[in-house]
Amino acid sequence: MTALLVVQVTLYATLTSGVQRVASVVVGVLVAVGFARLVGLTWWSLAILIFASLTLGWLLRLGSAIQEVAISGMLVVGVANPTATAQGRAFETLIGAGVGVLFNLLLPPPVYVQPAGEAVDKLADLLSGLLRRIGREIHEGAGAAQAGFWLSEARQIDQELVAVDAALVKAEDSLRMNPRGRQLLHARLTLRSRMETLEHCAVATRALCRTLLELTVDTGRRVRLSDEQLTPSLEGLLAQLGDAVDAFGQIVTTEIAPAVRTQREDLDRALSDARTFRDRAAQLLLSRVRQDRRSWELAGSLLAAVDRLMAELQVGSRPPEHNRAVTQHARSGRLRRLLARHWAAMVGVVRKRIPQAANSGPDE
């Protein structure tokens, strides 16, 4: 029974479960033997035993094996020879846990990198589909009701983020201590980095939808989604952003394959076209703002959300090692500037004190 309970879907989870179950049984039988020698079996000693066992299991962070501490204690304290029963139960649990761990070592479980990559790609498909649909419906003449649906759908993407994060955690656990995952260790960092990029893109998309909703509700300003000149630019911009997000999602699933170079080229091409439409829309928005200065806030929010989305895709598509090197370089640069600033301050204080000491009298 212990061997069946110990075996999990990942090798790391199997090792963790085995250690927790052995520790819970050992703690439980030790507490039971102590109670049996001190007070014996009574109704109140049994209650104290259960409470103490659960408390120790919680303090030792035994996870799902906490109840096993109390169960082992109750099975041992009620027999005629608690010491022999405790030794036998601990020994049997150790054998069962060892068999379960050995089974996973000899037959390593599969890694779950591909399902995690597919989950990230599905998230990218949701974002790209939303962006393309927004552009298409803007061209068809979207109103406040449709803009409200855009914002609601953008907020629902947060639920998908939770599911993707769970898939990534499962993939990371499957790579730990697994011989099959030695060649895929870089996938752990890659998937987490791509996931964070899409999370930032989801936030930017939600801000974009919020701005579009305000543009449809506040019809008293010059910037409107029904503008005949602005509509084609916004449609092309959102369509290219959708293509960029789609290409980014395909990069995740083909990260370790030669086809990733083609996907990066598609992403760069989509971002380049999106910048062209963005500049065209910015010129039109600038002309509308000059006519009505009250609309500068919404126009700026719209362009800021678009720029943030493109920047996240551009930076997030780089290899994680490159982003980490850039971050470390930036941190070292900030550290050097901080040390230089403190050194200059110390030198300034010393220079001020030297003339004061020279001008002061001998009594001072």
Side-chain angles (χ1 to χ4, degrees):
M1 184 181 297
T2 301
L4 294 176
L5 294 174
V6 163
V7 175
Q8 303 294 323
V9 294
T10 63
L11 180 58
Y12 178 76
T14 299
L15 293 173
T16 303
S17 177
V19 171
Q20 289 179 347
R21 190 157 296 275
V22 171
S24 64
V25 172
V26 171
V27 172
V29 297
L30 289 178
V31 173
V33 170
F35 270 81
R37 291 183 177 180
L38 292 177
V39 296
L41 179 61
T42 61
W43 65 269
W44 56 269
S45 64
L46 184 61
I48 296 177
L49 172 65
I50 296 174
F51 178 77
S53 300
L54 294 177
T55 303
L56 287 175
W58 179 75
L59 292 176
L60 295 176
R61 298 180 180 180
L62 296 180
S64 60
I66 290 180
Q67 297 179 355
E68 189 67 27
V69 182
I71 294 174
S72 300
M74 289 187 295
L75 292 176
V76 171
V77 75
V79 297
N81 189 357
T83 303
T85 304
Q87 293 176 354
R89 181 166 179 78
F91 186 65
E92 292 169 359
T93 302
L94 185 61
I95 292 177
V99 170
V101 172
L102 182 62
F103 177 81
N104 264 8
L105 288 175
L106 295 178
L107 297 175
V111 295
Y112 296 92
V113 174
Q114 187 66 25
E118 293 175 355
V120 176
D121 187 26
K122 181 181 177 181
L123 177 61
D125 291 339
L126 291 177
L127 284 174
S128 62
L130 176 61
L131 291 171
R132 292 193 185 104
R133 185 161 59 84
I134 291 174
R136 186 170 58 252
E137 293 181 356
I138 286 177
H139 180 71
E140 296 173 355
Q146 289 175 302
F149 285 125
W150 301 339
L151 181 59
S152 177
E153 187 173 346
R155 289 172 175 172
Q156 291 177 359
I157 293 179
D158 291 342
Q159 300 177 0
E160 190 65 25
L161 288 172
V162 177
V164 175
D165 184 71
L168 290 182
V169 171
K170 185 177 180 180
E172 291 171 351
D173 289 342
S174 67
L175 291 175
R176 294 181 179 179
M177 306 178 183
N178 195 331
R180 295 184 179 182
R182 292 177 180 177
Q183 298 179 355
L184 298 174
L185 292 178
H186 70 281
R188 177 181 179 183
L189 178 61
T190 301
L191 288 175
R192 182 59 63 180
S193 175
R194 303 300 185 239
M195 167 64 181
E196 292 177 355
T197 299
L198 286 179
E199 186 175 0
H200 297 162
C201 291
V203 174
T205 303
R206 189 162 60 245
L208 176 64
C209 293
R210 181 63 188 176
T211 303
L212 293 175
L213 177 61
E214 293 178 357
L215 288 174
T216 58
V217 172
D218 193 355
T219 58
R221 301 186 183 187
R222 292 285 182 180
V223 178
R224 301 188 185 94
L225 292 183
S226 58
D227 193 313
E228 295 181 356
Q229 296 180 349
L230 183 61
T231 298
S233 298
L234 291 179
E235 180 187 7
L237 172 60
L238 293 173
Q240 293 300 324
L241 287 177
D243 292 342
V245 175
D246 189 21
F248 181 84
Q250 294 178 10
I251 287 176
V252 177
T253 56
T254 59
E255 196 83 38
I256 58 176
V260 69
R261 180 176 301 175
T262 304
Q263 304 301 335
R264 292 187 188 278
E265 293 176 356
D266 294 341
L267 175 61
D268 294 337
R269 189 182 305 109
L271 288 177
S272 178
D273 295 339
R275 291 189 185 93
T276 302
F277 283 104
R278 185 264 180 203
D279 295 339
R280 189 181 306 170
Q283 293 296 328
L284 294 173
L285 289 173
L286 180 60
S287 63
R288 303 302 185 270
V289 170
R290 289 174 178 173
Q291 297 175 8
D292 186 0
R293 296 186 180 277
R294 295 178 302 168
S295 59
W296 70 268
E297 183 178 358
L298 294 180
S301 300
L302 179 62
L303 294 177
V306 171
D307 292 341
R308 190 178 304 114
L309 185 57
M310 290 192 298
E312 291 293 343
L313 291 174
Q314 185 68 46
V315 176
S317 62
R318 299 171 182 171
E321 294 79 5
H322 180 272
N323 293 335
R324 183 169 56 183
V326 172
T327 303
Q328 292 177 352
H329 180 72
R331 290 179 178 176
S332 61
R334 288 195 297 267
L335 180 60
R336 287 194 298 268
R337 289 193 297 270
L338 182 62
L339 292 176
R341 191 180 302 114
H342 283 291
W343 176 258
M346 293 174 59
V347 171
V349 171
V350 172
R351 289 179 177 177
K352 290 181 180 179
R353 291 185 176 275
I354 290 177
Q356 294 178 1
N359 296 331
S360 60
D363 294 339
E364 298 177 353

